[in-house]
Amino acid sequence: MERNIGRLKPRIKSRSNPFQNAFNALHLLQASSYFSRLQRGETTAEVNDPNSLTISIEDTVVKFLKVDTSGTLEKYSGYDLKKELLAYYLRYKILADESDMDQRILVCRKAEVRGHTFIGKKDEEGAGKEETFAKMTLPVDTNALRGTRSKTENNWKEFFGRTILLFQHTTSTVTKTLCLVHICTDTKLLNSGVPYGSGLGCRYYVTDITHLDCAVLKLPCLHRDNKYYYTYQGIIPNEIKLGEAGKI
């Protein structure tokens, strides 16, 4: 990420419309990088990885790479994983309490969802600098904070945050492929519709891995510290439906 920002900053020369300038420069860098990978015969999937797992979830294929089968909920207690996982099951009425929660989890270092690659931690100690800052689309439920799921259709909103843990967990009735994310609570939209934030205020949240959309590049503001513009492939600023982290 730091290397991408270092390559991008010298290309931002406009002061009247720096975001559009950065957006155009980013697409040129992405096109160049993609062409170089094609020339080298690289793909995003590590198909020869013996520790990989392919999972079909409805109409989405998820590929787990660098799988570790020795994970436990206790191993990630620093992230309140057990608490957030139980909150997930309560939202979907899968479990009534934690008595039916298996302590074992299958963790992967890297996952591919709809052609996009996401990186998570292998343990609480490592991989902190390589987590993916991602865009995700989550169901916003007015009853979510009470641990129940409304009968009406949820509103889908867009959020930004880091992918902390990519994992699979099994209960007596279901196996769920999930992710623990650190959702930014201070994301806002510019008048132009471009998302931005500091990323300093966050909350943990467990959701389905299929709710991850794509990786996001954080562009530092040239005039203010701790302010970043968020851009990603296919961004349409005026069509972003930004959600509030306190309502999920």
Side-chain angles (χ1 to χ4, degrees):
M1 181 65 74
E2 288 83 359
R3 181 168 54 185
N4 286 335
I5 292 174
R7 294 173 61 199
L8 187 61
K9 285 182 71 175
R11 292 171 167 80
I12 304 174
K13 302 183 184 300
S14 172
R15 287 189 172 273
S16 60
N17 195 353
F19 178 81
Q20 188 62 49
N21 186 186
F23 183 72
N24 294 336
L26 177 63
H27 274 263
L28 288 175
L29 287 174
Q30 287 178 328
S32 176
S33 175
Y34 181 65
F35 179 74
S36 297
R37 289 170 56 204
L38 288 178
Q39 292 292 92
R40 295 194 300 267
E42 294 181 10
T43 63
T44 55
E46 298 176 23
V47 293
N48 295 322
D49 182 3
N51 297 316
S52 65
L53 175 67
T54 300
I55 308 157
S56 294
I57 305 172
E58 296 180 351
D59 59 346
T60 302
V61 176
V62 175
K63 189 173 182 66
F64 270 13
L65 305 171
K66 302 182 185 297
V67 173
D68 176 13
T69 59
S70 64
T72 64
L73 295 179
E74 185 62 32
K75 186 176 180 180
Y76 299 93
S77 59
Y79 301 126
D80 288 332
L81 178 59
K82 188 174 183 178
K83 171 187 171 184
E84 295 300 333
L85 181 58
L86 179 59
Y88 168 85
Y89 285 136
L90 289 173
R91 284 196 301 273
Y92 289 89
K93 298 183 179 180
I94 296 173
L95 292 179
D97 55 59
E98 62 182 66
S99 61
D100 192 32
M101 286 180 62
D102 194 322
Q103 292 297 309
R104 296 169 296 174
I105 56 174
L106 184 151
V107 178
C108 80
R109 181 74 177 81
K110 186 185 298 184
E112 291 185 357
V113 184
R114 292 183 292 272
H116 297 278
T117 300
F118 303 93
I119 297 175
K121 285 181 177 289
K122 184 176 181 181
D123 50 53
E124 284 191 303
E125 308 292 321
K129 292 184 179 180
E130 296 185 31
E131 303 154 4
T132 301
F133 190 76
K135 172 184 170 290
M136 60 204 80
T137 304
L138 305 177
V140 177
D141 187 344
T142 55
N143 291 330
L145 297 180
R146 295 200 295 271
T148 59
R149 188 172 175 82
S150 65
K151 295 180 181 179
T152 57
E153 186 69 23
N154 289 297
N155 293 317
W156 291 87
K157 300 289 185 179
E158 293 164 76
F159 297 83
F160 297 85
R162 294 182 297 138
T163 54
I164 301 295
L165 196 65
L166 311 165
F167 67 102
Q168 193 173 69
H169 184 259
T170 300
T171 70
S172 60
T173 57
V174 296
T175 295
K176 304 296 290 186
T177 305
L178 307 165
C179 58
L180 174 70
V181 293
H182 211 202
I183 296 178
C184 297
T185 58
D186 64 350
T187 305
K188 298 178 181 179
L189 295 175
L190 297 172
N191 292 335
S192 60
V194 174
Y196 73 95
S198 68
L200 298 178
C202 298
R203 60 165 291 193
Y204 290 116
Y205 189 80
V206 168
T207 190
D208 295 272
I209 200 168
T210 53
H211 292 168
L212 297 176
D213 295 328
C214 61
V216 173
L217 184 63
K218 297 169 64 178
L219 302 175
C221 176
L222 299 178
H223 313 294
R224 287 182 57 184
D225 294 333
N226 294 322
K227 180 178 179 180
Y228 298 88
Y229 303 112
Y230 304 153
T231 184
Y232 49 89
Q233 184 178 9
I235 183 174
I236 305 177
N238 292 323
E239 295 187 9
I240 295 173
K241 298 179 180 179
L242 192 63
E244 295 181 43
K247 293 186 177 180
I248 56 175

